[in-house]
Amino acid sequence: MKFLFKYTFHLAILACVSALFSGCEQDPKYRVYDYPVPVVESIYPTDGYVTTQVVIMGTNFGDRAEAVKVFFGEAQSNKVLDCKNNRLVVEVPETAVTGNLSLQIYNKKVENIGHYTVLPTPRVITVTSDSEDGEGVADTGDKVTITGENFGTDPSDISVSFNGTPAEFELVDESTIVATTPADYKTGNVTVTIHGYTMTGSAMFNPNSKGDVTVLYLQNYKQPFAKANDENWKNGEWWTPAVWNQNKASFNAKNNTTVTGMQYKAAEGFTLAFQNGWEKEAYTNGKIWQVATLRPGKYRLEVTYAYTMVVSDAGNFISALMAKGNSESDIPNVADIEQLNGVCAIYDKAGTNDDSGVLVTPSFEVTETTDVVIGFLTSLAKGNSYFKVTELKLILE
């Protein structure tokens, strides 16, 4: 009888132990993984600038970016841009200094996988043309001088483009590049790429190129719009937009506030905004504008708007315009809009909720270099109304 009891007791213990181990094997929370040590075969490039990319080739990297840590000396890269079992791409951190690299994947760290030299970051300062029409104009074959610093001494490390069109150039010294304007390039910014690091210089105007020339003539013309300063009104929702001029009527918030014109809401981002209601005063003949010196040609203005609701009322008026001149007085009041020495596009979809679209002006021709006012004439006198601009485009036809 004793023997039978001991035998049964031992079987019960064995069954409990077996069940315990079986349960641990089935629950992945209790598994212990031993990841292989990563092996680095090559690193490219071995020198460059902060915020550029480095490629690490090898094995046993896995495919989980969150498990990867790459150190440039003591500075850890905060951006693993690509992670495959045999290839990593990381961004050089801004605090990196010349020194050894190390790699850690999960708990396996490999020291001194290579040496990286941090080069002085290049910078473009000025971009000027030798054209008789002005330093911002360049026809095919004109010379454009790019000044800056830390350009290096190897032309093979450098490329220059005019709004995406590659250009031939001469590296004069470490702070000067002279580029030859390529044929058929489109008006836009000049970019310089050195050792994989791309810099954007100022715009160059091709007098023979048609299309979008906004970057040459306007500033702060699309989302995200920049604010003039950190002064705000109503819980950080309204700011004064940078660059834009405004008349007194357009500052239409209550309590004589001096900020309005640019609105930020999380779902919309920063927009140029005109509003009545919700603690904004009704107003008439609000004017907001920039002045641009247009070269001879035929132009039109395209204004993209969104999130808009203008109550149907005779007192409400929204327009985008271009007019010859350089001051507020060159924009007439709403009642005198027919006297505008230019062109305008009037918003005619009042009553539409959450409206979006594009206001397009008729063509506006200047026969000689001319100062032109570009902007808005608005009145919002009745109802809770708002008109929100996300982008302006100036098109050379």
Side-chain angles (χ1 to χ4, degrees):
M1 187 68 178
K2 289 182 179 180
F3 175 82
L4 180 60
F5 175 79
K6 290 176 62 178
Y7 181 77
T8 304
F9 178 75
H10 289 159
L11 284 178
I13 292 176
L14 181 61
C16 290
V17 171
S18 298
L20 177 62
F21 279 100
S22 176
C24 288
E25 290 177 355
Q26 291 173 4
D27 189 343
K29 291 187 296 185
Y30 293 96
R31 292 180 180 176
V32 177
Y33 292 98
D34 187 19
Y35 292 95
V37 176
V39 177
V40 175
E41 298 173 354
S42 64
I43 298 172
Y44 179 83
T46 56
D47 60 6
Y49 310 107
V50 297
T51 73
T52 57
Q53 297 179 9
V54 171
V55 178
I56 302 173
M57 301 297 294
T59 55
N60 299 334
F61 296 159
D63 59 0
R64 304 296 295 271
E66 67 271 19
V68 176
K69 296 179 181 179
V70 177
F71 298 89
F72 291 73
E74 299 296 323
Q76 180 181 343
S77 173
N78 293 319
K79 293 184 179 180
V80 179
L81 305 173
D82 188 32
C83 180
K84 295 183 175 62
N85 193 48
N86 64 344
R87 181 177 184 269
L88 300 173
V89 181
V90 299
E91 183 178 286
V92 181
E94 292 187 0
T95 56
V97 296
T98 296
N100 291 326
L101 280 70
S102 57
L103 170 66
Q104 180 175 335
I105 299 179
Y106 288 107
N107 61 344
K108 297 298 175 66
K109 188 172 184 179
V110 182
E111 303 283 357
N112 301 332
I113 62 173
H115 188 273
Y116 190 83
T117 301
V118 178
L119 303 175
T121 304
R123 181 168 70 101
V124 169
I125 300 174
T126 65
V127 180
T128 57
S129 167
D130 65 356
S131 171
E132 295 180 354
D133 294 325
E135 64 181 26
V137 181
D139 205 340
T140 300
D142 285 347
K143 300 296 184 182
V144 173
T145 300
I146 304 166
T147 66
E149 55 189 19
N150 299 323
F151 291 167
T153 59
D154 187 355
S156 65
D157 277 346
I158 302 173
S159 62
V160 178
S161 69
F162 287 70
N163 198 12
T165 302
E168 296 182 354
F169 66 91
E170 176 191 0
L171 177 61
V172 178
D173 53 42
E174 291 192 57
S175 61
T176 310
I177 296 170
V178 177
T180 302
T181 312
D184 301 324
Y185 82 94
K186 295 191 179 299
T187 295
N189 293 107
V190 177
T191 58
V192 179
T193 300
I194 301 178
H195 213 63
Y197 184 81
T198 299
M199 298 158 285
T200 301
S202 55
M204 198 58 58
F205 178 81
N206 183 349
N208 302 310
S209 176
K210 310 297 183 183
D212 187 351
V213 294
T214 318
V215 68
L216 188 66
Y217 293 112
L218 296 180
Q219 302 177 61
N220 199 22
Y221 57 86
K222 66 178 179 179
Q223 286 181 315
F225 288 95
K227 53 190 177 183
N229 51 56
D230 288 329
E231 181 183 17
N232 64 74
W233 177 75
K234 193 183 177 184
N235 301 321
E237 183 178 330
W238 289 88
W239 284 266
T240 300
V243 178
W244 291 91
N245 304 293
Q246 292 181 253
N247 69 345
K248 185 176 181 179
S250 70
F251 289 102
N252 64 317
K254 290 182 178 179
N255 301 321
N256 296 317
T257 180
T258 58
V259 287
T260 185
M262 186 178 74
Q263 187 181 30
Y264 175 79
K265 288 188 175 181
E268 302 170 3
F270 285 108
T271 62
L272 285 183
F274 311 94
Q275 180 172 304
N276 171 38
W278 299 282
E279 298 185 65
K280 303 285 282 182
E281 295 280 15
Y283 70 94
T284 58
N285 299 315
K287 301 172 185 180
I288 177 170
W289 72 95
Q290 293 187 35
V291 177
T293 303
L294 299 187
R295 297 176 176 87
K298 186 181 291 186
Y299 300 85
R300 72 175 182 270
L301 181 65
E302 298 181 355
V303 175
T304 302
Y305 61 89
Y307 326 111
T308 287
M309 171 63 186
V310 178
V311 173
S312 299
D313 189 276
N316 291 334
F317 178 90
I318 304 287
S319 71
L321 56 83
M322 293 191 291
K324 292 181 180 179
N326 54 23
S327 67
E328 176 188 346
S329 62
D330 296 304
I331 304 174
N333 291 335
V334 173
D336 304 316
I337 191 65
E338 293 182 358
Q339 299 178 20
L340 179 73
N341 188 13
V343 294
C344 72
I346 299 173
Y347 180 72
D348 61 358
K349 296 167 66 177
T352 305
N353 189 30
D354 198 25
D355 190 25
S356 61
V358 182
L359 289 182
V360 182
T361 69
S363 299
F364 180 58
E365 186 170 9
V366 295
T367 57
E368 58 185 5
T369 301
T370 304
D371 284 347
V372 173
V373 173
I374 299 175
F376 301 90
L377 170 63
T378 67
S379 290
L380 288 174
K382 297 290 180 68
N384 290 337
S385 298
Y386 46 88
F387 183 84
K388 302 184 180 185
V389 176
T390 58
E391 184 175 9
L392 293 88
K393 284 185 180 180
L394 187 64
I395 306 298
L396 176 62
E397 299 179 342

